Amino acid sequence: MSNWAVVTYDSAFGYVSAHGAPLVDLLDPQPGEKIIDLGCGTGALAAEIAARGAETLGIDGSSEMIAQARALNPELSFAVGDAHEFTVAEPFDGVASNGALHWMTRDPDAVINQAHAALRPGGRFVAEMGGAGNCAELIAAMQTAWREFGLAEPELPWYFPSPAEYANRLEDGGFTVRLLEYFDRPTRMTEGPGGAADWVRIFAAEPLTDVPPELTEALLERINMLAAPALRRESGWVADYVRLRFAAVRKPDGSTPPPELTHAAPALSRVR
């Protein structure tokens, strides 16, 4: 996430933050609880959780994001940290994450293990991320354009797992999966007038840096041409998002049966 432009992240692609709201209902934070927002970006989800009365800690690997989060939410706590290896001094009641886990590609199991270690037994891990097939049309346009321009296959900076794969990772990591949803969510790029090219500039900035500068604009124009039949509408461009949303509970230490959910249960039942 360190390559994301903070200003564009919250203006041209503000839907990344805007879609965090349903997660707050799923998490159902209670006054006095302690919740981590993992991959917090500029702090939008942390602020929503704090508004419910919970104590929040936002963690992100980008110092630029954390600086912006602190400026926007000076009353909240934020820290620069790597999700693969962060530690906390005492257990938390919940870990939440929106649109961030798919950027943590180095070792997805390590991220799950750190979330597990940060939680008390019975603590909740609630997140939404890109799932298998996410942005398939955008990625196909990228790969085709790279190939047409004689460039090596772009190294994609995301991890988009299938529901079965991620459920297995969670279970192996010491969690009981209470809910897992996998769904298409076409999303208008309301303020990205450059369409697929704008999406690549922001979300695929890293592979774009490997493109010779004299080819960049022509390459981006070609990506728009390739993606337009599937993603451009009369009303504007649409990103072909596929989302994976889950709610899991840290298993109790030892061999006792897992506890029933308490106040989190109604939130889980509300999601369809």
Side-chain angles (χ1 to χ4, degrees):
M1 293 179 68
S2 60
N3 292 318
W4 291 12
V6 173
V7 174
T8 310
Y9 174 88
D10 269 341
S11 58
F13 291 91
Y15 55 75
V16 174
S17 299
H19 281 149
L23 284 183
V24 180
D25 291 333
L26 187 58
L27 178 68
D28 195 20
Q30 300 296 298
E33 284 194 317
K34 298 175 62 177
I35 308 291
I36 292 171
D37 177 4
L38 190 60
C40 65
T42 56
L45 180 60
E48 290 282 346
I49 294 169
R52 303 284 185 99
E55 180 183 340
T56 61
L57 170 63
I59 298 175
D60 200 281
S62 166
S63 57
E64 292 86 358
M65 287 288 185
I66 291 298
Q68 186 77 349
R70 287 171 174 159
L72 292 169
N73 307 280
E75 74 285 3
L76 303 182
S77 297
F78 296 96
V80 178
D82 185 336
H84 299 82
E85 55 190 35
F86 76 96
T87 57
V88 290
E90 53 187 341
F92 278 67
D93 299 291
V95 173
S97 183
N98 182 48
L101 294 180
H102 54 253
W103 289 96
M104 303 169 191
T105 59
R106 189 172 81 234
D107 185 351
D109 290 326
V111 175
I112 292 171
N113 290 340
Q114 295 311 111
H116 181 275
L119 287 167
R120 61 170 175 79
R124 291 108 68 205
F125 185 17
V126 175
E128 186 172 306
M129 63 189 295
N134 189 58
C135 299
E137 295 286 353
L138 288 161
I139 290 170
M142 273 184 66
Q143 292 171 327
T144 299
W146 253 254
R147 194 161 52 246
E148 289 181 356
F149 277 71
L151 302 170
E153 184 87 1
E155 185 173 345
L156 303 177
W158 315 291
Y159 163 64
F160 298 139
S162 70
E165 177 188 348
Y166 209 77
N168 285 335
R169 288 186 185 275
L170 288 167
E171 292 283 351
D172 291 345
F175 286 95
T176 299
V177 178
R178 299 295 197 187
L179 175 144
L180 191 147
E181 296 179 311
Y182 177 59
F183 53 96
D184 293 327
R185 190 174 65 197
T187 303
R188 287 188 61 192
M189 302 183 196
T190 53
E191 297 181 35
D198 275 359
W199 185 89
V200 171
R201 285 188 183 99
I202 300 306
F203 296 107
E206 189 171 344
L208 198 59
T209 60
D210 295 330
V211 175
E214 65 273 14
L215 297 181
T216 301
E217 289 306 314
L219 180 78
L220 290 170
E221 288 178 13
R222 181 58 179 154
I223 289 170
N224 267 358
M225 291 177 63
L226 290 164
L231 302 180
R232 188 163 60 194
R233 312 279 191 270
E234 288 186 9
S235 58
W237 285 83
V238 174
D240 55 328
Y241 276 18
V242 178
R243 311 315 275 175
L244 189 64
R245 180 190 295 156
F246 66 84
V249 177
R250 176 179 162 160
K251 294 176 183 176
D253 296 330
S255 57
T256 56
E260 292 299 315
L261 288 178
T262 54
H263 63 266
L268 295 180
S269 64
R270 284 200 296 271
V271 176
R272 295 289 183 264

